[in-house]
Amino acid sequence: MVSLGFSPGMPGSVHNDVLSANPTSSQDKYNLIEELKRRGRAAVTSKNYPDADILYGKGVAVLQTLVDSADEEEKAKAKKDIAILYSNRSLSLLQLGKSEDARYDAQKATEFYPTYIKGYWRLGQALVSLSRNTEALEAYEAAFNLDSSNKALKKECEKVRVKIEQEKLLMEASAEEVATTPALPPPVTTTTTKKVVTGTKATKTTTSTNKDAGMKDGTFGKSEHVRGYKIVNGKKTSYFHHEQTEEEKRLIGDIAPKKN
């Protein structure tokens, strides 16, 4: 037998006897599978998920040799057994925070055993962990279709439907917020002055963007009424300008000192 090289203290080191086993006959392989299943269940019960991962992984490797067998009857049995091990390892991987690996194993379980309810259950759990809720609902519904009396599956389907609806509402609210956000005002341009040197003379050219000046015909710009301008006799002038009435002119003339 070839040792897998586990050292004391490493996950699976106490299981070196089964992990290093390399049976050749179908019967010896199935005997090993049963022992790996037993130890794997014990590891999951004690929440020793690293050991469970390794034990179920060894079982998958052994069963794969039987799946590849030419005997169709033996192959069919091996497919069901390997699906169970993939499903159990998916549980262990999910508990270890390896959601994508857990999804892969659960998917393999459903491929090897298309009517395996627990395989779809594990697949739904892994997909929820990955926030792939629409796919998770499909997995749970596939399991529920195989056992429509299963209340736990029905509850999982309802929970995922609520998650999907919440995601939809959040996306709609986000889209509405973007649509109602006012556009930013256009940038304000400023005046720049450049000196142009030609020969020995320097000339100054001014480039400005007329953002608020009045028109050349004497009309107001956009904010000149705020700055204190008005139109008097067709001319633009400031609010401080006062046009004297005829009465005011006569009064001023009455009180003006007479010249000698």
Side-chain angles (χ1 to χ4, degrees):
M1 293 186 295
V2 179
S3 173
L4 296 183
F6 291 99
S7 302
M10 289 179 62
S13 62
V14 297
H15 306 293
N16 273 342
D17 57 329
V18 292
L19 294 175
S20 61
N22 189 24
T24 55
S25 70
S26 295
Q27 188 57 53
D28 287 344
K29 287 179 180 181
Y30 275 113
N31 289 340
L32 176 61
I33 293 300
E34 289 305 313
E35 180 61 18
L36 290 166
K37 284 182 180 179
R38 185 188 69 78
R39 296 192 191 190
R41 283 193 298 269
V44 170
T45 300
S46 63
K47 298 183 179 181
N48 187 349
Y49 299 113
D51 272 17
D53 175 20
I54 292 171
L55 290 164
Y56 289 133
K58 172 66 175 181
V60 166
V62 173
L63 277 170
Q64 188 63 53
T65 64
L66 295 172
V67 170
D68 297 335
S69 171
D71 188 318
E72 292 301 320
E73 184 177 348
E74 188 171 81
K75 183 182 294 187
K77 182 179 184 305
K79 282 184 176 182
K80 289 186 177 181
D81 286 336
I82 200 171
I84 293 170
L85 293 182
Y86 267 122
S87 175
N88 291 347
R89 189 170 69 170
S90 175
L91 167 65
S92 302
L93 290 168
L94 190 61
Q95 293 298 322
L96 291 170
K98 300 178 179 180
S99 300
E100 179 54 36
D101 291 340
R103 183 210 62 78
Y104 175 84
D105 273 16
Q107 185 70 50
K108 295 293 290 184
T110 62
E111 290 172 4
F112 278 110
Y113 192 178
T115 58
Y116 185 38
I117 295 173
K118 190 169 287 186
Y120 291 104
W121 181 294
R122 301 294 187 217
L123 181 57
Q125 288 178 316
L127 288 166
V128 167
S129 179
L130 292 166
S131 298
R132 292 162 61 174
N133 293 316
T134 300
E135 295 171 80
L137 179 59
E138 293 174 358
Y140 282 132
E141 286 179 338
F144 186 70
N145 290 337
L146 293 169
D147 183 9
S148 58
S149 64
N150 192 313
K151 294 182 179 179
L153 279 172
K154 183 178 180 180
K155 185 177 180 181
E156 290 302 317
C157 288
E158 292 171 350
K159 284 166 61 177
V160 178
R161 287 192 188 100
V162 170
K163 286 179 179 287
I164 292 172
E165 185 61 28
Q166 289 175 338
E167 287 178 348
K168 181 181 177 182
L169 291 173
L170 283 172
M171 290 179 65
E172 290 176 351
S174 179
E176 184 178 350
E177 182 179 353
V178 170
T180 57
T181 300
L184 294 174
V188 177
T189 55
T190 57
T191 300
T192 58
T193 302
K194 296 180 180 179
K195 284 187 177 181
V196 180
V197 178
T198 304
T200 58
K201 293 183 179 180
T203 60
K204 183 166 40 176
T205 60
T206 302
T207 303
S208 63
T209 299
N210 194 351
K211 59 181 179 179
D212 214 305
M215 302 297 290
K216 291 182 178 179
D217 59 2
T219 58
F220 286 125
K222 292 183 180 178
S223 64
E224 285 182 326
H225 64 288
V226 178
R227 297 180 180 179
Y229 292 99
K230 64 181 180 178
I231 297 294
V232 178
N233 293 331
K235 295 181 179 180
K236 182 168 64 177
T237 184
S238 71
Y239 275 111
F240 297 103
H241 176 81
H242 176 66
E243 193 69 22
Q244 294 177 346
T245 65
E246 292 299 323
E247 182 64 26
E248 289 174 330
K249 290 177 180 179
R250 285 196 299 270
L251 288 173
I252 292 173
D254 290 342
I255 64 175
K258 294 181 180 179
K259 295 182 180 179
N260 294 326

